[in-house]
Amino acid sequence: MELLYTILLYLIQPLVWLRLLLRSRKAPAYRKRWAERYGFCRNKVKPDGILLHSVSVGETLAAIPLVRALRHRYPTLPITVTTMTPTGSERVMSAFGKDVHHVYLPYDLPCAMGRFLDTVRPKLVIVMETELWPNMIAALNRRKIPLVIANARLSERSAKGYGKLGRFMRRLLSRITLIAAQTQEDGDRFMQLGLKRGQLAVTGSLKFDISVTPELAAKAITLRRQWAPRRKVWIATSTHDGEETIILQAHRKLLETFPDLLLILVPRHPERFPDAREMVRKGGFSFIMRSSGEIPSGSTQVVIGDTMGELMLLYGIADMAFVGGSLVERGGHNPLEPAAHAIPVLMGPHTFNFKDICARLQAADGLITVTDADSLVKEVSTLLTDEDYRLWCGRHAVEVLHQNQGALTRLLQLLQPYLPQRSH
């Protein structure tokens, strides 16, 4: 099975290149750094440290508190953070700057993975969520490098798919040092696939371990005073194709009742910034781009958030937030980031990527579900009109965040045996 997987992976490489070229038409970053995708990263990393892999933006955000804590605890240990996408890459660079080394994780080809591990020589490898690369896992196992899957989740659907791989899956899991699952449900699914009890720990979700730093809060207050000292602001973030139209329809309607209302619109992917700009322009709205550095005037109706790494700051300016990927069937994005700012969180019905988190928020009245432009107008209007209700919803959202924190502390304790003793 492993041999078949590897042969297939080599055979499809021309298709992989074609896909990168096609994606680069909208996002030129896909045309760059191909050598890293084949394990050539000499002089870009520092060996003998921790390697952490987070495939894209969502996983990178969950990894931020963990990386910061590891840097604090093990200041002399170099950390290399790998991603697979340019947006994940930009997120790493904006979050950590020169504090960590960053390259793309190579494709799971034995030669590329071997070359990469020979250069990085990690003492410990941490993979965020559930990225299971058979050749990488086998190479780490041969080199006796501990591998921890952190913040692991496994949906029923994925478990069924993996279950069909039978013995291959059991062998793969036997080579993993530890799986730190988000919930007992996730842990049980891993065990049904053949994971031994001694290889499993349930830590909770790292996504709850985010916080608004005093620096960020101060920056947000300053920006709010500059942008909208006497105006109400709502934000729509991580929007996908099909959602901006709904958001702008709702905003048009809301402006009839709240003519001073300011919308911050942040598409999920940078390649869609021009599309959003065109939609806003065609809609006849007065707008500015965040990247221009301009301050919205009293007549500005929309700010398009076309910068990277500023989402938490922009949430801090808003009175309420709609989180995208949820009105279309993308499974939704992270509702805990706006919750950390104690503002009401609105989402569409498609939240399967954050099923457990959304269920907790909903049970505590910390999440408002909308289905279309009309229900969005209705809910936002209520929040704008009733300040007590707005503060009540925001308070319930942030309480859910605080009540479920602690996964980071539990995970750090589990990682201790695989890292050098802390020097005081």
Side-chain angles (χ1 to χ4, degrees):
M1 180 72 116
E2 278 169 67
L3 183 64
L4 190 67
Y5 162 80
T6 302
I7 291 167
L8 194 64
L9 213 51
Y10 276 111
L11 289 174
I12 64 164
Q13 286 310 296
L15 294 175
V16 170
W17 305 331
L18 186 63
R19 186 167 177 265
L20 287 173
L21 287 170
L22 288 171
R23 293 196 78 170
S24 74
R25 290 196 303 183
K26 273 200 162 184
Y30 277 101
R31 216 171 298 149
K32 297 169 185 168
R33 296 164 56 193
W34 280 25
E36 287 178 24
R37 297 188 183 275
Y38 291 91
F40 295 100
C41 60
R42 204 170 290 284
N43 303 324
K44 290 186 177 183
V45 297
K46 209 169 177 186
D48 304 312
I50 300 168
L51 171 64
L52 184 142
H53 175 61
S54 59
V55 65
S56 192
V57 178
E59 293 81 2
T60 305
L61 289 169
I64 288 172
L66 172 59
V67 173
R68 286 193 178 135
L70 287 168
R71 284 202 71 253
H72 178 71
R73 283 183 171 222
Y74 307 98
T76 58
L77 219 50
I79 298 176
T80 298
V81 179
T82 59
T83 64
M84 295 293 270
T85 66
T87 44
S89 176
E90 282 164 357
R91 195 68 195 87
V92 169
M93 287 169 180
S94 66
F96 306 116
K98 291 190 167 68
D99 288 347
V100 303
H101 305 279
H102 167 66
V103 288
Y104 287 134
L105 185 77
Y107 295 127
D108 197 33
L109 303 161
C111 59
M113 202 51 83
R115 189 182 298 120
F116 173 72
L117 292 173
D118 287 345
T119 308
V120 182
R121 299 200 308 267
K123 291 183 186 299
L124 168 69
V125 175
I126 303 166
V127 172
M128 296 299 292
E129 309 228 341
T130 316
E131 288 282 305
L132 302 176
W133 299 110
N135 286 324
M136 178 188 178
I137 292 169
L140 292 172
N141 185 252
R142 274 196 306 276
R143 286 168 163 81
K144 295 186 168 44
I145 298 167
L147 167 63
V148 175
I149 312 288
N151 216 38
R153 60 190 181 121
L154 188 63
S155 68
E156 211 171 317
R157 193 169 152 204
S158 297
K160 273 180 191 162
Y162 283 135
K164 290 171 186 165
L165 300 172
R167 205 168 60 194
F168 173 71
M169 196 63 204
R170 284 194 294 278
R171 189 163 63 244
L172 193 69
L173 290 173
S174 72
R175 292 168 170 169
I176 295 169
T177 313
L178 180 73
I179 290 184
Q182 290 188 23
T183 66
Q184 190 60 55
E185 210 178 4
D186 293 313
D188 290 345
R189 287 187 190 123
F190 280 112
M191 282 175 67
Q192 280 157 18
L193 290 173
L195 189 77
K196 300 278 185 286
R197 190 171 289 279
Q199 292 170 275
L200 177 72
V202 177
T203 55
S205 173
L206 279 177
K207 287 191 164 85
F208 287 104
D209 283 279
I210 57 168
S211 59
V212 178
T213 62
E215 298 80 37
L216 183 69
K219 218 170 159 187
I221 289 165
T222 305
L223 206 56
R224 175 69 191 241
R225 281 182 188 146
Q226 288 174 343
W227 281 26
R230 285 175 292 278
R231 299 172 70 180
K232 286 283 175 275
V233 180
W234 74 298
I235 187 168
T237 66
S238 299
T239 54
H240 286 259
D241 192 15
E243 288 185 309
E244 290 93 358
T245 315
I246 297 168
I247 299 297
L248 293 171
Q249 270 174 14
H251 191 52
R252 159 91 44 241
K253 194 93 181 105
L254 286 161
L255 286 169
E256 292 171 16
T257 316
F258 309 95
D260 260 357
L261 184 63
L262 179 65
L263 166 67
I264 303 171
L265 179 63
V266 189
R268 175 69 174 174
H269 297 113
E271 58 264 34
R272 298 201 57 256
F273 294 157
D275 298 348
R277 183 194 172 115
E278 193 53 25
M279 276 183 250
V280 172
R281 192 189 63 75
K282 276 188 176 165
F285 295 96
S286 162
F287 72 95
I288 62 165
M289 307 297 284
R290 166 63 177 149
S291 59
S292 71
E294 284 176 63
I295 290 171
S297 69
S299 62
T300 304
Q301 296 165 319
V302 181
V303 175
I304 298 172
D306 63 335
T307 51
M308 295 301 294
E310 283 201 317
L311 200 52
M312 280 298 275
L313 172 65
L314 296 176
Y315 277 132
I317 301 170
D319 294 291
M320 67 206 70
F322 167 80
V323 180
S326 57
L327 281 171
V328 292
E329 289 189 41
R330 291 303 179 98
H333 296 290
N334 193 350
L336 294 174
E337 292 171 297
H341 287 279
I343 58 174
V345 184
L346 301 103
M347 289 184 86
H350 307 291
T351 56
F352 52 82
N353 287 341
F354 289 85
K355 188 179 147 206
D356 182 55
I357 287 170
C358 287
R360 289 178 197 218
L361 282 167
Q362 210 132 29
D365 295 321
L367 179 67
I368 299 164
T369 303
V370 294
T371 52
D372 53 20
D374 289 339
S375 60
L376 190 54
V377 169
K378 182 174 169 288
E379 294 296 348
V380 172
S381 297
T382 307
L383 290 164
L384 288 168
T385 313
D386 188 339
E387 191 183 3
D388 287 342
Y389 174 59
R390 191 169 70 246
L391 295 171
W392 184 84
C393 289
R395 191 172 68 248
H396 280 80
V398 78
E399 277 169 5
V400 171
L401 183 75
H402 292 153
Q403 283 159 8
N404 289 281
Q405 287 180 336
L408 180 60
T409 307
R410 289 189 280 275
L411 181 62
L412 288 167
Q413 284 169 345
L414 290 167
L415 296 177
Q416 234 171 320
Y418 312 111
L419 290 166
Q421 289 292 303
R422 289 171 68 184
S423 51
H424 295 282

